[in-house]
Amino acid sequence: KVTGVGVGVGVNASHPLTLEELNVVEQVRVKVNDAESTVAVEFTPTIPHCSMATLIGLSIKVKLIRSLPERFKVDVHITPGTHASEHAVNKQLADKERVAAALENSHLLEVVNQCLSARS
């Protein structure tokens, strides 16, 4: 169960719930193709102007990369029509160089790790 990776929201004390509990990540929006070694996850931010959308997407992507065998290609994107900056966030999450650069930022990596350790 891929959504069982339990990506928690640890940066917001007012919502100490997993993304699944907030219905940000749902089983029906996770597609795994073992034969092609791909995992695609659509996530739905809690509100259309959610300021944490990129951080949530990055946290999901990092959790999957850390949890799955290296052969898997991970695609994380916003559920179409659910966020005001959907295109920009999806572009950032799909750009390997931008993701790598983000994870080289020690502060941002610390925030992502806090998200992942909240309830993983």
Side-chain angles (χ1 to χ4, degrees), residues 9-108:
V9 180
V11 293
N12 186 345
S14 66
H15 293 289
L17 302 171
T18 67
L19 296 178
E20 292 152 294
E21 291 166 335
L22 291 170
N23 291 322
V24 171
V25 176
E26 301 174 277
Q27 183 75 36
V28 295
R29 300 203 181 281
V30 177
K31 306 292 184 223
V32 179
N33 186 327
D34 193 43
E36 294 182 13
S37 299
T38 60
V39 175
V41 177
E42 282 186 353
F43 69 99
T44 307
T46 54
I47 57 173
H49 295 281
C50 177
S51 62
M52 294 179 60
T54 303
L55 177 61
I56 291 168
L58 185 60
S59 297
I60 294 168
K61 189 164 193 148
V62 168
K63 180 67 173 188
L64 291 171
I65 289 169
R66 289 179 182 174
S67 302
L68 294 170
E70 284 186 34
R71 68 183 174 90
F72 279 92
K73 179 183 182 297
V74 176
D75 173 36
V76 175
H77 54 274
I78 292 177
T79 305
T82 63
H83 193 272
S85 301
E86 167 190 335
H87 179 72
V89 172
N90 286 343
K91 186 175 178 179
Q92 287 180 327
L93 294 172
D95 187 326
K96 289 181 182 180
E97 289 180 12
R98 290 179 91 170
V99 170
L103 297 177
E104 287 176 7
N105 177 317
S106 60
H107 174 70
L108 185 55

